[in-house]
Amino acid sequence: MTFSFPPAIKRRFWGQVFESPVMLASGTAGFGHELLDLNCLSGVGAVVSKAVTFKPRAGNPPPRLFETSFGLLNSIGLANPGVHHVLQHILPIAADLPCPLLINVAGESVSEFADVVRILESSSVHLGYEINVSCPNVAEGGAAFGVDPDVVFRVAQGVSNATDRPFSVKLTPNGGDIVQSAEAAVQGGASAITVCNTFLGMHIDWRTGRSVIKRRVAGYTSPALLPLVVAKVWQVSNAISVPVISSGGVSCGEDVLQLLAAGADMVQVGTRLMRRPFAAAELMDEMKKLTGE
Ligand SMILES: Cc1cc2nc3c(=O)[nH]c(=O)nc-3n(C[C@H](O)[C@H](O)[C@H](O)COP(=O)(O)O)c2cc1C
């Protein structure tokens, strides 16, 4: 890959031109159509949906969100209505999105990822998939898959056999070697790698000794994680030949430009949306002012 500095805001990704590199991260923007009425999609390059599994999932019992001094702990546990509901009732509405949609897919077994993708194939609404082998908040599958390159390879291969659409494999920063897992995903047919899911975190109430999150350990997001994500994006993008989508730590336009300079092709923003639902438009304005593009 050849880089130019400062990095271009307009991107070519998966054969399409994207006016914005900013993607809304999975789990922080529904399926995108919820934001349409609020006019929050200006400046958004693409939306990544909440995770979809084969069966409906209620997710983890509350409390499952906690704001720390410098970030957010979440333990949602892949709550979603299941792939059949998504196909019949959500994707037809999401067809009105002004930008491409990627569907985030999760599973409890290696075969579930491909099973979910196969069912979604009858919709023409989405551009591609993000395969989530990295959720820290579930007992079955989740991050345990993403740390084993052999399992990552088999999941990617299964998805690759189930679709001709492009797909990114979203990896965990928690344990294992993210570069080895990325290489395995590419070998299995991945068209991009998302670097990375949330970092394991915990907040304990010292009065009781109990975690403030029911499931105890959760996924942590914070602007302070930016240097950790920059390092992982840099390591992975130097090792593989497919695009990298960064996920984590973005709070301003400079952060997006830095991640692009580190080797990301597209950059996700998530937690920031909860305070700033118009974050994508704000990031774009900041980047245009900074680069003059
Ligand atoms: C409330 C919440 C729910 C999330 N749900 C998912 C999910 O369903 N699938 C997934 O791959 N990542 C999920 N994530 C992780 C985000 O997609 C993203 O990788 C992470 O928040 C890092 O980006 P940020 O620092 O911009 O928030 C979730 C994050 C949050 C805060």
Side-chain angles (χ1 to χ4, degrees):
M1 202 184 309
T2 49
F3 294 105
S4 62
F5 301 100
I9 300 172
K10 189 169 167 177
R11 314 298 293 176
R12 180 163 272 284
F13 175 73
W14 284 353
Q16 295 196 12
V17 173
F18 287 75
E19 294 299 324
S20 164
V22 180
M23 291 179 161
L24 305 190
S26 176
T28 64
F31 279 77
H33 65 275
E34 297 92 334
L35 301 176
L36 258 182
D37 293 344
L38 303 170
N39 268 330
C40 295
L41 292 178
S42 163
V44 174
V47 172
V48 187
S49 80
K50 177 66 192 166
V52 178
T53 51
F54 193 82
K55 288 191 199 144
R57 286 179 65 99
N60 294 332
R64 55 189 194 179
L65 275 178
F66 181 81
E67 191 172 356
T68 68
S69 309
F70 305 109
L72 182 71
L73 288 165
N74 97 78
S75 172
I76 306 298
L78 305 179
N80 79 98
V83 66
H84 290 288
H85 181 93
V86 167
L87 181 69
Q88 282 158 30
H89 302 292
I90 298 185
L91 290 184
I93 313 172
D96 291 338
L97 283 182
C99 61
L101 173 69
L102 273 63
I103 302 184
N104 185 281
V105 174
E108 290 179 10
S109 64
V110 168
S111 56
E112 184 176 339
F113 294 87
D115 292 344
V116 171
V117 165
R118 231 174 260 116
I119 291 165
L120 292 168
E121 281 297 280
S122 62
S123 168
S124 58
V125 170
H126 52 295
L127 169 66
Y129 302 94
E130 181 172 75
I131 304 300
N132 175 4
V133 289
S134 46
C135 180
N137 298 320
V138 289
E140 315 83 16
F145 280 3
V147 294
D148 183 339
D150 181 51
V151 178
V152 173
F153 169 78
R154 286 192 287 133
V155 170
Q157 194 179 45
V159 171
S160 181
N161 290 334
T163 182
D164 289 331
R165 287 179 230 223
F167 68 94
S168 184
V169 174
K170 185 171 182 180
L171 296 174
T172 176
N174 303 311
D177 179 337
I178 197 166
V179 171
Q180 276 180 22
S181 289
E183 286 168 344
V186 175
Q187 256 189 331
S191 345
I193 301 295
T194 306
V195 180
C196 46
N197 214 314
T198 53
F199 289 68
L200 277 186
M202 200 171 182
H203 183 100
I204 294 175
D205 182 342
W206 57 266
R207 293 166 197 84
T208 61
R210 289 210 192 103
S211 169
V212 295
I213 297 281
K214 181 80 176 174
R215 201 174 169 268
R216 300 199 184 101
V217 178
Y220 183 51
T221 49
S222 159
L225 296 178
L226 182 70
L228 280 63
V229 179
V230 168
K232 292 200 184 296
V233 164
W234 182 79
Q235 286 172 324
V236 172
S237 65
N238 276 298
I240 59 169
S241 52
V242 301
V244 167
I245 304 171
S246 80
S247 191
V250 167
S251 56
C252 65
E254 290 222 30
D255 297 346
V256 179
L257 291 170
Q258 191 189 162
L259 285 157
L260 294 174
D265 293 82
M266 300 290 277
V267 173
Q268 296 183 357
V269 60
T271 309
R272 176 104 185 134
L273 295 171
M274 296 180 196
R275 279 196 200 281
R276 312 284 306 173
F278 300 96
E282 292 169 352
L283 295 171
M284 281 296 278
D285 282 351
E286 287 168 30
M287 284 191 283
K288 283 179 181 166
K289 279 194 195 113
L290 286 164
T291 63
E293 189 176 323

